[in-house]
Amino acid sequence: MFSRIVQLNYRHLNRGSVQKALLLKIHQPGIRPPSFCDGIMTGTRNFSSGRLKNWSSDIKDNIKELCKLFSAYCHVVMAQRIQRLQQALTFYRYLYGERMLSKFIDNFAGLVLQNCRNKPFCVLLSACLFSWQKDNITNEDFERCIDDMESVSEIVSHANANGYSSLPGGWESIINKPHLKVWRKPIVENSHLYEYRVYGSFDDIPARAFYNIQIDLEFWQSWEKMALDINIIDKHKETGSEIVHWLTKFPYPMYSREYLYVRRYKEYNDRNVMVVSGKAIEHPDIPITDQYVRVKEYVSQFVIKPHTNFDDNGFDYILTYFDDPQSAFPSFCYNWLASSGVPEFVNNLHKAAKAMDEKMKKGYKPKCVANSPEKKKLNNDNTPVSNYA
Protein backbone atom coordinates (compact mmCIF):
# COMPACT_ATOMS: atom_id res chain seq x y z
CA MET A 1 0.00 0.00 0.00
CA PHE A 2 2.88 2.37 0.72
CA SER A 3 4.32 1.96 -2.84
CA ARG A 4 0.87 2.71 -4.31
CA ILE A 5 0.74 6.03 -2.47
CA VAL A 6 4.19 6.98 -3.80
CA GLN A 7 3.12 6.23 -7.40
CA LEU A 8 -0.02 8.35 -7.09
CA ASN A 9 1.91 11.25 -5.63
CA TYR A 10 4.44 11.09 -8.47
CA ARG A 11 1.67 11.66 -11.07
CA HIS A 12 0.39 14.81 -9.38
CA LEU A 13 3.79 16.46 -9.06
CA ASN A 14 5.10 18.91 -11.73
CA ARG A 15 8.69 17.91 -12.25
CA GLY A 16 9.79 21.31 -13.61
CA SER A 17 8.33 23.35 -10.80
CA VAL A 18 9.82 21.07 -8.22
CA GLN A 19 13.30 21.33 -9.78
CA LYS A 20 13.08 25.15 -9.88
CA ALA A 21 11.98 25.30 -6.27
CA LEU A 22 14.86 23.05 -5.28
CA LEU A 23 17.43 25.24 -7.09
CA LEU A 24 16.07 28.43 -5.56
CA LYS A 25 15.84 27.10 -2.02
CA ILE A 26 19.26 25.52 -2.05
CA HIS A 27 20.88 28.96 -2.47
CA GLN A 28 18.74 30.61 0.22
CA PRO A 29 20.27 30.28 3.66
CA GLY A 30 18.05 29.14 6.56
CA ILE A 31 15.48 27.51 4.30
CA ARG A 32 15.07 23.70 4.50
CA PRO A 33 14.96 21.97 1.14
CA PRO A 34 11.81 19.96 0.45
CA SER A 35 12.03 16.34 1.50
CA PHE A 36 10.58 13.16 0.02
CA CYS A 37 7.91 13.10 2.77
CA ASP A 38 6.83 16.62 1.84
CA GLY A 39 6.03 15.36 -1.60
CA ILE A 40 4.05 12.46 -0.24
CA MET A 41 2.03 14.67 2.12
CA THR A 42 1.34 17.16 -0.70
CA GLY A 43 0.03 14.40 -2.93
CA THR A 44 -2.06 12.90 -0.13
CA ARG A 45 -3.94 16.18 0.35
CA ASN A 46 -5.06 15.97 -3.28
CA PHE A 47 -6.84 12.61 -2.83
CA SER A 48 -10.57 12.65 -3.12
CA SER A 49 -12.70 11.60 -0.18
CA GLY A 50 -14.26 8.86 -2.32
CA ARG A 51 -10.88 7.22 -2.92
CA LEU A 52 -10.21 7.12 0.85
CA LYS A 53 -13.59 5.57 1.49
CA ASN A 54 -12.84 2.83 -1.00
CA TRP A 55 -9.57 2.06 0.73
CA SER A 56 -11.25 1.95 4.12
CA SER A 57 -13.85 -0.47 2.81
CA ASP A 58 -11.15 -2.70 1.31
CA ILE A 59 -9.26 -2.78 4.59
CA LYS A 60 -12.40 -3.75 6.55
CA ASP A 61 -13.20 -6.54 4.11
CA ASN A 62 -9.67 -7.88 4.36
CA ILE A 63 -9.81 -7.82 8.17
CA LYS A 64 -13.11 -9.70 8.12
CA GLU A 65 -11.67 -12.38 5.87
CA LEU A 66 -8.63 -12.73 8.12
CA CYS A 67 -10.86 -13.10 11.18
CA LYS A 68 -12.90 -15.80 9.47
CA LEU A 69 -9.76 -17.71 8.52
CA PHE A 70 -8.35 -17.38 12.04
CA SER A 71 -11.64 -18.55 13.61
CA ALA A 72 -11.77 -21.59 11.31
CA TYR A 73 -8.15 -22.41 12.19
CA CYS A 74 -8.90 -22.19 15.92
CA HIS A 75 -11.87 -24.50 15.53
CA VAL A 76 -9.75 -27.08 13.74
CA VAL A 77 -7.00 -26.92 16.38
CA MET A 78 -9.48 -27.13 19.25
CA ALA A 79 -11.23 -30.11 17.66
CA GLN A 80 -7.87 -31.87 17.32
CA ARG A 81 -7.00 -31.19 20.97
CA ILE A 82 -10.37 -32.48 22.19
CA GLN A 83 -10.07 -35.57 20.01
CA ARG A 84 -6.60 -36.32 21.38
CA LEU A 85 -7.81 -35.83 24.97
CA GLN A 86 -10.72 -38.18 24.35
CA GLN A 87 -8.37 -40.78 22.87
CA ALA A 88 -6.03 -40.47 25.85
CA LEU A 89 -8.90 -40.87 28.35
CA THR A 90 -10.21 -43.89 26.47
CA PHE A 91 -6.75 -45.45 26.45
CA TYR A 92 -6.22 -44.97 30.20
CA ARG A 93 -9.73 -46.19 30.94
CA TYR A 94 -9.00 -49.48 29.19
CA LEU A 95 -5.53 -49.64 30.72
CA TYR A 96 -6.41 -48.90 34.36
CA GLY A 97 -10.20 -49.10 34.49
CA GLU A 98 -12.83 -46.43 35.01
CA ARG A 99 -12.39 -46.39 38.79
CA MET A 100 -8.70 -45.58 38.60
CA LEU A 101 -9.31 -42.92 35.94
CA SER A 102 -11.96 -41.25 38.07
CA LYS A 103 -9.60 -41.32 41.04
CA PHE A 104 -6.85 -39.73 38.95
CA ILE A 105 -9.16 -36.89 37.88
CA ASP A 106 -10.26 -36.33 41.49
CA ASN A 107 -6.64 -36.28 42.69
CA PHE A 108 -5.69 -33.82 39.96
CA ALA A 109 -8.55 -31.50 40.88
CA GLY A 110 -7.60 -31.76 44.57
CA LEU A 111 -3.98 -30.94 43.75
CA VAL A 112 -5.04 -27.84 41.84
CA LEU A 113 -7.24 -26.72 44.73
CA GLN A 114 -4.49 -27.35 47.25
CA ASN A 115 -1.86 -25.33 45.34
CA CYS A 116 -4.03 -22.34 44.49
CA ARG A 117 -6.84 -22.37 47.03
CA ASN A 118 -6.40 -18.69 47.89
CA LYS A 119 -6.84 -17.58 44.28
CA PRO A 120 -10.11 -16.71 42.53
CA PHE A 121 -9.54 -19.50 39.99
CA CYS A 122 -9.56 -22.06 42.79
CA VAL A 123 -12.83 -20.73 44.16
CA LEU A 124 -14.39 -21.05 40.72
CA LEU A 125 -13.00 -24.56 40.19
CA SER A 126 -14.05 -25.84 43.60
CA ALA A 127 -17.53 -24.44 43.08
CA CYS A 128 -17.72 -26.36 39.80
CA LEU A 129 -16.81 -29.59 41.63
CA PHE A 130 -19.94 -29.40 43.81
CA SER A 131 -23.60 -28.81 43.10
CA TRP A 132 -26.66 -29.93 45.01
CA GLN A 133 -28.30 -31.12 41.81
CA LYS A 134 -25.36 -33.40 40.97
CA ASP A 135 -24.10 -34.47 44.42
CA ASN A 136 -27.26 -34.70 46.50
CA ILE A 137 -28.79 -37.99 47.66
CA THR A 138 -32.01 -38.54 45.74
CA ASN A 139 -35.28 -40.26 46.57
CA GLU A 140 -34.29 -42.94 44.05
CA ASP A 141 -31.16 -43.63 46.13
CA PHE A 142 -33.38 -44.12 49.17
CA GLU A 143 -35.67 -46.46 47.25
CA ARG A 144 -32.71 -48.63 46.25
CA CYS A 145 -31.57 -48.81 49.88
CA ILE A 146 -35.03 -49.92 50.99
CA ASP A 147 -35.22 -52.51 48.21
CA ASP A 148 -31.83 -53.89 49.30
CA MET A 149 -33.09 -54.13 52.87
CA GLU A 150 -36.16 -56.09 51.81
CA SER A 151 -34.22 -58.47 49.58
CA VAL A 152 -31.56 -59.15 52.25
CA SER A 153 -34.25 -59.67 54.91
CA GLU A 154 -35.92 -62.25 52.71
CA ILE A 155 -32.62 -64.05 52.12
CA VAL A 156 -31.77 -64.03 55.83
CA SER A 157 -35.21 -65.36 56.79
CA HIS A 158 -34.82 -68.18 54.31
CA ALA A 159 -31.27 -68.86 55.54
CA ASN A 160 -32.36 -69.09 59.17
CA ALA A 161 -34.80 -71.80 58.20
CA ASN A 162 -32.28 -73.75 56.12
CA GLY A 163 -29.04 -73.05 57.99
CA TYR A 164 -27.31 -71.39 55.02
CA SER A 165 -26.55 -67.69 54.59
CA SER A 166 -25.13 -66.21 51.40
CA LEU A 167 -25.83 -63.18 49.23
CA PRO A 168 -25.77 -63.04 45.44
CA GLY A 169 -23.43 -60.64 43.68
CA GLY A 170 -20.07 -61.86 44.99
CA TRP A 171 -20.68 -61.21 48.70
CA GLU A 172 -18.53 -63.35 51.02
CA SER A 173 -19.98 -64.33 54.40
CA ILE A 174 -17.48 -63.63 57.21
CA ILE A 175 -19.75 -63.55 60.29
CA ASN A 176 -22.91 -65.63 60.59
CA LYS A 177 -24.57 -65.30 63.99
CA PRO A 178 -28.28 -65.26 64.89
CA HIS A 179 -28.38 -61.48 65.48
CA LEU A 180 -25.39 -60.36 63.41
CA LYS A 181 -24.38 -61.25 59.87
CA VAL A 182 -21.55 -59.62 57.94
CA TRP A 183 -20.63 -59.96 54.29
CA ARG A 184 -17.94 -58.33 52.24
CA LYS A 185 -16.83 -58.15 48.61
CA PRO A 186 -13.79 -56.53 46.98
CA ILE A 187 -14.36 -53.22 45.25
CA VAL A 188 -12.45 -54.48 42.23
CA GLU A 189 -10.95 -57.88 41.52
CA ASN A 190 -7.90 -58.73 43.67
CA SER A 191 -8.31 -55.52 45.66
CA HIS A 192 -7.49 -55.15 49.35
CA LEU A 193 -10.43 -52.77 49.74
CA TYR A 194 -13.81 -54.25 50.61
CA GLU A 195 -17.38 -53.11 50.74
CA TYR A 196 -19.15 -54.39 53.85
CA ARG A 197 -22.78 -55.25 54.42
CA VAL A 198 -23.92 -55.71 58.04
CA TYR A 199 -27.32 -57.12 58.93
CA GLY A 200 -28.51 -57.36 62.52
CA SER A 201 -31.33 -56.88 64.98
CA PHE A 202 -31.91 -55.61 68.53
CA ASP A 203 -34.84 -56.38 70.79
CA ASP A 204 -34.16 -54.14 73.80
CA ILE A 205 -34.10 -50.67 72.20
CA PRO A 206 -36.51 -48.78 69.89
CA ALA A 207 -35.73 -47.99 66.26
CA ARG A 208 -36.03 -44.24 66.89
CA ALA A 209 -33.20 -44.24 69.43
CA PHE A 210 -30.97 -46.14 67.00
CA TYR A 211 -31.94 -43.70 64.25
CA ASN A 212 -31.29 -40.63 66.40
CA ILE A 213 -27.71 -41.58 67.27
CA GLN A 214 -27.00 -41.48 63.53
CA ILE A 215 -28.39 -37.98 62.92
CA ASP A 216 -27.50 -36.22 66.20
CA LEU A 217 -23.89 -35.24 65.55
CA GLU A 218 -23.37 -33.64 68.96
CA PHE A 219 -24.42 -36.85 70.68
CA TRP A 220 -22.40 -38.86 68.16
CA GLN A 221 -19.19 -37.20 69.26
CA SER A 222 -19.95 -38.04 72.89
CA TRP A 223 -19.73 -41.80 72.19
CA GLU A 224 -17.45 -41.89 69.12
CA LYS A 225 -14.10 -41.50 70.92
CA MET A 226 -12.04 -41.37 67.73
CA ALA A 227 -13.84 -38.26 66.48
CA LEU A 228 -11.80 -35.06 66.75
CA ASP A 229 -14.50 -32.76 65.46
CA ILE A 230 -17.68 -32.97 63.41
CA ASN A 231 -19.73 -30.11 62.03
CA ILE A 232 -22.42 -29.27 59.50
CA ILE A 233 -20.99 -26.72 57.08
CA ASP A 234 -23.84 -26.45 54.55
CA LYS A 235 -27.47 -27.45 54.20
CA HIS A 236 -29.98 -27.91 51.39
CA LYS A 237 -33.29 -26.42 52.49
CA GLU A 238 -35.45 -28.26 49.95
CA THR A 239 -34.37 -31.82 50.81
CA GLY A 240 -32.83 -31.34 54.28
CA SER A 241 -29.49 -32.76 53.08
CA GLU A 242 -26.38 -31.63 54.96
CA ILE A 243 -22.69 -31.33 54.20
CA VAL A 244 -20.79 -32.87 57.13
CA HIS A 245 -17.11 -32.27 57.91
CA TRP A 246 -15.74 -35.01 60.16
CA LEU A 247 -12.21 -35.27 61.54
CA THR A 248 -11.19 -38.60 63.08
CA LYS A 249 -8.05 -39.98 64.69
CA PHE A 250 -5.89 -42.65 63.13
CA PRO A 251 -3.28 -44.75 64.93
CA TYR A 252 0.11 -43.11 65.43
CA PRO A 253 2.16 -42.21 63.38
CA MET A 254 -0.49 -41.82 60.65
CA TYR A 255 -2.20 -38.51 59.99
CA SER A 256 -5.77 -37.97 61.12
CA ARG A 257 -8.40 -38.55 58.46
CA GLU A 258 -10.84 -36.03 57.11
CA TYR A 259 -14.28 -36.96 55.80
CA LEU A 260 -16.36 -34.48 53.82
CA TYR A 261 -19.68 -35.95 52.79
CA VAL A 262 -23.29 -35.19 52.01
CA ARG A 263 -25.85 -36.99 54.14
CA ARG A 264 -29.60 -37.22 54.09
CA TYR A 265 -32.07 -39.03 56.33
CA LYS A 266 -35.77 -39.70 56.11
CA GLU A 267 -38.59 -41.57 57.83
CA TYR A 268 -41.02 -43.51 55.63
CA ASN A 269 -44.19 -43.99 57.66
CA ASP A 270 -45.97 -45.72 54.79
CA ARG A 271 -43.21 -48.35 54.48
CA ASN A 272 -42.30 -48.35 58.18
CA VAL A 273 -38.57 -47.77 57.61
CA MET A 274 -35.92 -45.14 58.40
CA VAL A 275 -33.02 -44.38 56.06
CA VAL A 276 -29.72 -42.55 56.66
CA SER A 277 -27.36 -42.27 53.70
CA GLY A 278 -24.06 -40.47 53.08
CA LYS A 279 -21.36 -40.26 50.42
CA ALA A 280 -18.11 -38.35 49.97
CA ILE A 281 -18.14 -35.09 47.98
CA GLU A 282 -16.01 -31.98 47.40
CA HIS A 283 -17.18 -28.61 48.66
CA PRO A 284 -15.72 -25.11 48.07
CA ASP A 285 -15.89 -24.21 51.79
CA ILE A 286 -13.50 -27.02 52.81
CA PRO A 287 -10.54 -27.30 50.42
CA ILE A 288 -7.95 -30.06 50.80
CA THR A 289 -5.04 -29.17 53.10
CA ASP A 290 -1.80 -30.80 54.26
CA GLN A 291 -3.04 -31.04 57.84
CA TYR A 292 -5.30 -34.06 57.27
CA VAL A 293 -5.64 -36.89 54.77
CA ARG A 294 -8.89 -36.47 52.84
CA VAL A 295 -10.92 -39.67 52.42
CA LYS A 296 -12.30 -39.19 48.92
CA GLU A 297 -14.20 -42.47 48.61
CA TYR A 298 -16.82 -43.07 51.28
CA VAL A 299 -20.34 -44.53 51.21
CA SER A 300 -22.61 -45.32 54.17
CA GLN A 301 -26.22 -46.50 53.91
CA PHE A 302 -28.29 -47.34 56.99
CA VAL A 303 -31.82 -48.76 56.74
CA ILE A 304 -33.76 -49.42 59.97
CA LYS A 305 -37.00 -51.40 59.98
CA PRO A 306 -38.87 -51.74 63.30
CA HIS A 307 -40.70 -54.92 64.21
CA THR A 308 -43.82 -52.93 65.12
CA ASN A 309 -43.35 -49.14 65.11
CA PHE A 310 -40.56 -46.60 65.52
CA ASP A 311 -41.04 -46.11 69.29
CA ASP A 312 -41.40 -49.70 70.50
CA ASN A 313 -38.46 -51.96 71.22
CA GLY A 314 -37.26 -54.25 68.45
CA PHE A 315 -35.99 -53.62 64.93
CA ASP A 316 -33.80 -54.97 62.13
CA TYR A 317 -31.15 -52.93 60.38
CA ILE A 318 -28.77 -53.17 57.43
CA LEU A 319 -25.60 -51.15 56.96
CA THR A 320 -23.75 -51.00 53.63
CA TYR A 321 -20.38 -49.31 54.05
CA PHE A 322 -17.23 -48.59 52.11
CA ASP A 323 -14.34 -46.16 52.40
CA ASP A 324 -10.77 -45.88 51.18
CA PRO A 325 -8.60 -44.53 54.04
CA GLN A 326 -5.64 -44.20 51.62
CA SER A 327 -3.41 -46.35 53.79
CA ALA A 328 -1.45 -49.44 52.82
CA PHE A 329 -2.72 -51.66 55.63
CA PRO A 330 -1.54 -55.29 55.49
CA SER A 331 -4.16 -57.92 54.73
CA PHE A 332 -4.32 -59.18 58.34
CA CYS A 333 -5.53 -55.72 59.44
CA TYR A 334 -8.51 -55.96 57.09
CA ASN A 335 -9.20 -59.47 58.31
CA TRP A 336 -9.18 -58.20 61.90
CA LEU A 337 -11.50 -55.36 60.90
CA ALA A 338 -13.97 -57.85 59.49
CA SER A 339 -13.82 -60.36 62.35
CA SER A 340 -13.39 -58.08 65.38
CA GLY A 341 -13.75 -54.44 64.34
CA VAL A 342 -17.28 -54.72 62.92
CA PRO A 343 -18.75 -56.52 65.98
CA GLU A 344 -17.10 -53.97 68.26
CA PHE A 345 -18.55 -51.12 66.21
CA VAL A 346 -22.03 -52.67 66.35
CA ASN A 347 -21.68 -53.11 70.11
CA ASN A 348 -20.80 -49.40 70.47
CA LEU A 349 -23.88 -48.50 68.42
CA HIS A 350 -26.03 -50.59 70.75
CA LYS A 351 -24.62 -48.89 73.86
CA ALA A 352 -25.08 -45.43 72.32
CA ALA A 353 -28.68 -46.23 71.35
CA LYS A 354 -29.49 -47.37 74.91
CA ALA A 355 -28.02 -44.13 76.26
CA MET A 356 -30.03 -42.14 73.72
CA ASP A 357 -33.21 -43.98 74.71
CA GLU A 358 -32.64 -43.10 78.39
CA LYS A 359 -32.02 -39.44 77.52
CA MET A 360 -35.16 -39.30 75.35
CA LYS A 361 -37.25 -40.71 78.17
CA LYS A 362 -36.04 -37.74 80.26
CA GLY A 363 -37.12 -35.24 77.60
CA TYR A 364 -34.00 -34.95 75.48
CA LYS A 365 -34.61 -33.81 71.88
CA PRO A 366 -31.98 -34.89 69.33
CA LYS A 367 -30.06 -32.21 67.45
CA CYS A 368 -31.22 -32.68 63.89
CA VAL A 369 -31.70 -30.52 60.79
CA ALA A 370 -34.66 -28.64 62.29
CA ASN A 371 -32.50 -26.98 64.95
CA SER A 372 -29.03 -27.16 63.42
CA PRO A 373 -27.26 -23.86 62.68
CA GLU A 374 -27.41 -22.62 59.11
CA LYS A 375 -23.65 -22.69 58.67
CA LYS A 376 -20.66 -23.20 60.90
CA LYS A 377 -17.99 -20.54 61.24
CA LEU A 378 -14.57 -21.27 59.77
CA ASN A 379 -11.06 -20.61 61.01
CA ASN A 380 -8.48 -18.73 58.96
CA ASP A 381 -7.32 -22.00 57.35
CA ASN A 382 -10.91 -22.80 56.25
CA THR A 383 -11.38 -25.54 58.88
CA PRO A 384 -14.60 -25.38 60.91
CA VAL A 385 -14.57 -23.77 64.34
CA SER A 386 -15.12 -26.53 66.87
CA ASN A 387 -18.22 -26.21 69.04
CA TYR A 388 -17.35 -29.34 71.04
CA ALA A 389 -13.85 -28.61 72.29
Side-chain angles (χ1 to χ4, degrees), residues 1 7 31 35 50 66 76 96-97 100 119-120 134 141 160 177 216 222 249 301 343 345 365-367 378 385:
M1 189 172 67
Q7 292 173 2
I31 298 178
S35 64
L66 288 174
V76 172
Y96 298 109
M100 187 63 67
K119 299 179 182 179
K134 175 176 65 72
D141 296 331
N160 290 336
K177 296 180 179 180
D216 188 340
S222 69
K249 300 176 185 176
Q301 298 170 346
F345 171 73
K365 294 182 178 181
K367 307 294 189 303
L378 302 177
V385 176

Short mmCIF file of all heavy atoms in Angstrom, two decimals, residues 1 7 31 35 50 66 76 96-97 100 119-120 134 141 160 177 216 222 249 301 343 345 365-367 378 385:
data_model
loop_
_atom_site.label_atom_id
_atom_site.label_comp_id
_atom_site.label_asym_id
_atom_site.label_seq_id
_atom_site.Cartn_x
_atom_site.Cartn_y
_atom_site.Cartn_z
N MET A 1 0.82 -1.20 0.00
CA MET A 1 0.00 0.00 0.00
C MET A 1 0.86 1.26 0.00
O MET A 1 0.52 2.28 -0.61
CB MET A 1 -0.94 0.00 1.21
CG MET A 1 -1.99 1.10 1.17
SD MET A 1 -3.22 0.94 2.47
CE MET A 1 -2.22 1.23 3.90
N GLN A 7 3.39 6.12 -5.98
CA GLN A 7 3.12 6.23 -7.40
C GLN A 7 2.07 7.28 -7.69
O GLN A 7 2.19 8.06 -8.64
CB GLN A 7 2.66 4.87 -7.93
CG GLN A 7 3.77 3.81 -7.92
CD GLN A 7 3.24 2.46 -8.31
OE1 GLN A 7 2.06 2.32 -8.61
NE2 GLN A 7 4.12 1.47 -8.28
N ILE A 31 16.71 28.14 4.79
CA ILE A 31 15.48 27.51 4.30
C ILE A 31 15.76 26.03 4.07
O ILE A 31 16.71 25.67 3.40
CB ILE A 31 15.00 28.17 2.99
CG1 ILE A 31 14.66 29.65 3.26
CG2 ILE A 31 13.79 27.44 2.42
CD1 ILE A 31 14.23 30.41 2.02
N SER A 35 11.66 17.74 1.34
CA SER A 35 12.03 16.34 1.50
C SER A 35 11.08 15.45 0.72
O SER A 35 10.06 15.91 0.17
CB SER A 35 12.00 15.93 2.97
OG SER A 35 10.67 16.02 3.46
N GLY A 50 -13.73 10.13 -1.84
CA GLY A 50 -14.26 8.86 -2.32
C GLY A 50 -13.20 7.79 -2.40
O GLY A 50 -13.44 6.62 -2.08
N LEU A 66 -9.67 -12.19 7.24
CA LEU A 66 -8.63 -12.73 8.12
C LEU A 66 -9.22 -13.29 9.40
O LEU A 66 -8.79 -14.34 9.89
CB LEU A 66 -7.61 -11.63 8.43
CG LEU A 66 -6.67 -11.22 7.30
CD1 LEU A 66 -5.83 -10.03 7.72
CD2 LEU A 66 -5.76 -12.39 6.92
N VAL A 76 -10.43 -25.84 14.13
CA VAL A 76 -9.75 -27.08 13.74
C VAL A 76 -8.77 -27.53 14.82
O VAL A 76 -8.72 -28.71 15.21
CB VAL A 76 -9.03 -26.89 12.39
CG1 VAL A 76 -8.17 -28.11 12.07
CG2 VAL A 76 -10.04 -26.67 11.29
N TYR A 96 -6.32 -48.86 32.90
CA TYR A 96 -6.41 -48.90 34.36
C TYR A 96 -7.82 -49.13 34.89
O TYR A 96 -8.00 -49.41 36.07
CB TYR A 96 -5.88 -47.59 34.95
CG TYR A 96 -4.43 -47.33 34.64
CD1 TYR A 96 -4.06 -46.33 33.75
CD2 TYR A 96 -3.42 -48.08 35.23
CE1 TYR A 96 -2.73 -46.08 33.46
CE2 TYR A 96 -2.09 -47.84 34.94
CZ TYR A 96 -1.75 -46.84 34.06
OH TYR A 96 -0.44 -46.59 33.78
N GLY A 97 -8.82 -48.95 34.03
CA GLY A 97 -10.20 -49.10 34.49
C GLY A 97 -10.81 -47.75 34.82
O GLY A 97 -10.11 -46.77 35.10
N MET A 100 -9.99 -46.21 38.44
CA MET A 100 -8.70 -45.58 38.60
C MET A 100 -8.64 -44.25 37.86
O MET A 100 -8.05 -43.28 38.33
CB MET A 100 -7.60 -46.52 38.08
CG MET A 100 -6.19 -46.03 38.35
SD MET A 100 -5.84 -45.90 40.14
CE MET A 100 -5.89 -47.63 40.59
N LYS A 119 -6.69 -18.37 45.49
CA LYS A 119 -6.84 -17.58 44.28
C LYS A 119 -8.28 -17.69 43.78
O LYS A 119 -8.97 -18.68 44.00
CB LYS A 119 -5.87 -18.07 43.21
CG LYS A 119 -4.41 -17.94 43.65
CD LYS A 119 -3.47 -18.46 42.58
CE LYS A 119 -2.01 -18.37 43.03
NZ LYS A 119 -1.08 -18.89 42.01
N PRO A 120 -8.74 -16.67 43.04
CA PRO A 120 -10.11 -16.71 42.53
C PRO A 120 -10.36 -17.91 41.64
O PRO A 120 -11.46 -18.46 41.63
CB PRO A 120 -10.22 -15.40 41.75
CG PRO A 120 -9.20 -14.50 42.35
CD PRO A 120 -8.07 -15.39 42.78
N LYS A 134 -26.19 -32.27 41.39
CA LYS A 134 -25.36 -33.40 40.97
C LYS A 134 -24.97 -34.30 42.14
O LYS A 134 -24.93 -35.53 41.99
CB LYS A 134 -24.10 -32.87 40.28
CG LYS A 134 -23.08 -33.94 39.91
CD LYS A 134 -21.92 -33.32 39.15
CE LYS A 134 -21.12 -32.36 39.99
NZ LYS A 134 -20.31 -33.08 41.03
N ASP A 141 -32.20 -42.97 45.32
CA ASP A 141 -31.16 -43.63 46.13
C ASP A 141 -31.77 -44.26 47.37
O ASP A 141 -31.40 -45.39 47.76
CB ASP A 141 -30.09 -42.61 46.53
CG ASP A 141 -29.33 -42.07 45.33
OD1 ASP A 141 -29.21 -42.77 44.33
OD2 ASP A 141 -28.86 -40.91 45.42
N ASN A 160 -32.15 -68.63 57.80
CA ASN A 160 -32.36 -69.09 59.17
C ASN A 160 -33.15 -70.39 59.21
O ASN A 160 -32.95 -71.22 60.10
CB ASN A 160 -33.10 -68.00 59.97
CG ASN A 160 -32.21 -66.79 60.24
OD1 ASN A 160 -30.98 -66.90 60.25
ND2 ASN A 160 -32.84 -65.64 60.46
N LYS A 177 -24.00 -65.07 62.66
CA LYS A 177 -24.57 -65.30 63.99
C LYS A 177 -26.07 -65.01 63.94
O LYS A 177 -26.55 -64.35 63.01
CB LYS A 177 -23.89 -64.40 65.03
CG LYS A 177 -22.41 -64.69 65.21
CD LYS A 177 -21.80 -63.76 66.25
CE LYS A 177 -20.32 -64.07 66.45
NZ LYS A 177 -19.71 -63.17 67.47
N ASP A 216 -27.89 -37.22 65.20
CA ASP A 216 -27.50 -36.22 66.20
C ASP A 216 -25.97 -36.21 66.30
O ASP A 216 -25.37 -37.02 67.00
CB ASP A 216 -28.13 -36.59 67.55
CG ASP A 216 -27.93 -35.49 68.59
OD1 ASP A 216 -27.02 -34.65 68.41
OD2 ASP A 216 -28.68 -35.47 69.58
N SER A 222 -20.08 -37.66 71.48
CA SER A 222 -19.95 -38.04 72.89
C SER A 222 -19.63 -39.52 73.04
O SER A 222 -19.02 -39.92 74.05
CB SER A 222 -21.24 -37.70 73.63
OG SER A 222 -22.31 -38.54 73.22
N LYS A 249 -9.42 -39.55 64.40
CA LYS A 249 -8.05 -39.98 64.69
C LYS A 249 -7.72 -41.26 63.94
O LYS A 249 -8.58 -42.10 63.69
CB LYS A 249 -7.88 -40.22 66.20
CG LYS A 249 -8.14 -39.03 67.08
CD LYS A 249 -8.03 -39.42 68.55
CE LYS A 249 -8.40 -38.29 69.47
NZ LYS A 249 -8.37 -38.71 70.89
N GLN A 301 -24.77 -46.42 54.09
CA GLN A 301 -26.22 -46.50 53.91
C GLN A 301 -26.81 -47.33 55.04
O GLN A 301 -26.51 -48.52 55.16
CB GLN A 301 -26.57 -47.11 52.55
CG GLN A 301 -26.07 -46.30 51.37
CD GLN A 301 -26.20 -47.03 50.06
OE1 GLN A 301 -26.41 -48.24 50.02
NE2 GLN A 301 -26.06 -46.31 48.96
N PRO A 343 -17.95 -56.25 64.77
CA PRO A 343 -18.75 -56.52 65.98
C PRO A 343 -18.56 -55.49 67.07
O PRO A 343 -19.52 -55.14 67.78
CB PRO A 343 -18.26 -57.91 66.41
CG PRO A 343 -17.75 -58.54 65.16
CD PRO A 343 -17.13 -57.41 64.38
N PHE A 345 -17.83 -52.32 66.64
CA PHE A 345 -18.55 -51.12 66.21
C PHE A 345 -20.05 -51.27 66.45
O PHE A 345 -20.71 -50.34 66.94
CB PHE A 345 -18.27 -50.88 64.72
CG PHE A 345 -19.11 -49.81 64.10
CD1 PHE A 345 -18.88 -48.47 64.38
CD2 PHE A 345 -20.13 -50.14 63.23
CE1 PHE A 345 -19.66 -47.47 63.81
CE2 PHE A 345 -20.91 -49.16 62.65
CZ PHE A 345 -20.68 -47.83 62.94
N LYS A 365 -34.24 -33.89 73.28
CA LYS A 365 -34.61 -33.81 71.88
C LYS A 365 -33.33 -33.83 71.04
O LYS A 365 -32.46 -32.98 71.22
CB LYS A 365 -35.40 -32.53 71.60
CG LYS A 365 -36.76 -32.50 72.29
CD LYS A 365 -37.53 -31.24 71.94
CE LYS A 365 -38.90 -31.25 72.61
NZ LYS A 365 -39.68 -30.03 72.26
N PRO A 366 -33.20 -34.78 70.14
CA PRO A 366 -31.98 -34.89 69.33
C PRO A 366 -31.74 -33.64 68.49
O PRO A 366 -32.67 -32.97 68.05
CB PRO A 366 -32.24 -36.11 68.44
CG PRO A 366 -33.30 -36.87 69.15
CD PRO A 366 -34.15 -35.86 69.86
N LYS A 367 -30.45 -33.33 68.29
CA LYS A 367 -30.06 -32.21 67.45
C LYS A 367 -30.08 -32.67 65.99
O LYS A 367 -29.22 -33.40 65.55
CB LYS A 367 -28.65 -31.72 67.82
CG LYS A 367 -28.46 -31.41 69.29
CD LYS A 367 -29.31 -30.23 69.73
CE LYS A 367 -28.95 -29.78 71.14
NZ LYS A 367 -29.08 -30.83 72.14
N LEU A 378 -15.82 -20.65 60.17
CA LEU A 378 -14.57 -21.27 59.77
C LEU A 378 -13.38 -20.51 60.34
O LEU A 378 -13.44 -19.29 60.54
CB LEU A 378 -14.46 -21.32 58.24
CG LEU A 378 -15.59 -22.07 57.51
CD1 LEU A 378 -15.38 -21.98 56.02
CD2 LEU A 378 -15.63 -23.52 57.94
N VAL A 385 -14.78 -24.08 62.93
CA VAL A 385 -14.57 -23.77 64.34
C VAL A 385 -15.26 -24.83 65.17
O VAL A 385 -16.46 -25.11 65.00
CB VAL A 385 -15.11 -22.37 64.68
CG1 VAL A 385 -14.98 -22.09 66.16
CG2 VAL A 385 -14.37 -21.32 63.87
#
